[in-house]
Amino acid sequence: MVDSSWAAVGPRPDLDRFLREYGLTEAGLGDRLRTRPARSWIDGETFDDEYLVHDSVLRPQGEYPCAGDTQALAFCEEIADLIVSRYGSTRDAAVAVVNRQWSEAEPGERSPRVWIVGSDIVYHETPEYWAEFIVNRHSVS
């Protein structure tokens, strides 16, 4: 079992994209990289392992502490843009509420609460879904 100080990056193509973006190598990560069995499919190709990186490797992107790569940053920005355009929020309030959803931790817990990186499960829903969900869950001004 992998404890909460590890973030799932996904199968090999996601790891390769992550390594390029961060300017890292597998060898350079050493014991900060693990695998676990997890079957996935990308463009018809099957992968049997999921890669995980230690949280100490990750760095926040832009205004979103939870965004562990540029794909996650773009996803969070799209959600915030939708909150502004569809729900009349200010940009600052939209960024704050997206961060409330995934970045803010309870006292004594790790921050960000969630790392969005690689092929994260949040991508199973659309930005439109998340914008509505977040607005309905949190008060937005």
Side-chain angles (χ1 to χ4, degrees):
M1 180 168 147
V2 179
D3 66 38
S4 63
S5 60
W6 293 84
V9 173
R12 169 57 66 178
D14 292 318
L15 175 66
D16 291 342
R17 181 177 54 82
F18 175 82
L19 292 172
R20 279 191 307 276
E21 183 174 322
Y22 272 65
L24 298 170
T25 64
E26 281 185 69
L29 285 174
D31 64 357
R32 296 176 299 164
L33 179 67
R34 292 185 179 172
T35 62
R36 67 179 170 198
R39 179 154 288 194
S40 59
W41 296 265
I42 299 176
D43 297 329
E45 188 173 353
T46 303
F47 299 91
D48 292 326
D49 291 318
E50 176 179 51
Y51 290 85
L52 300 101
V53 295
H54 193 268
D55 285 352
S56 63
V57 174
L58 299 169
R59 59 182 181 263
Q61 307 295 308
E63 301 173 283
Y64 305 94
C66 62
D69 59 21
T70 56
Q71 178 180 341
L73 173 60
F75 193 74
C76 290
E77 287 178 339
E78 186 172 353
I79 294 166
D81 290 345
L82 287 164
I83 292 170
V84 170
S85 66
R86 291 187 178 177
Y87 302 99
S89 172
T90 66
R91 177 77 179 161
D92 287 345
V95 169
V97 78
V98 169
N99 281 330
R100 195 171 314 133
Q101 175 67 30
W102 290 307
S103 296
E104 291 181 6
E106 295 295 322
E109 291 184 3
R110 75 178 186 157
S111 182
R113 188 171 50 78
V114 173
W115 279 107
I116 303 171
V117 63
S119 57
D120 198 276
I121 195 165
V122 300
Y123 299 126
H124 289 215
E125 299 294 347
T126 65
E128 292 80 6
Y129 167 87
W130 283 116
E132 182 177 356
F133 179 89
I134 290 169
V135 164
N136 289 331
R137 185 167 188 216
H138 305 282
S139 53
V140 180
S141 48

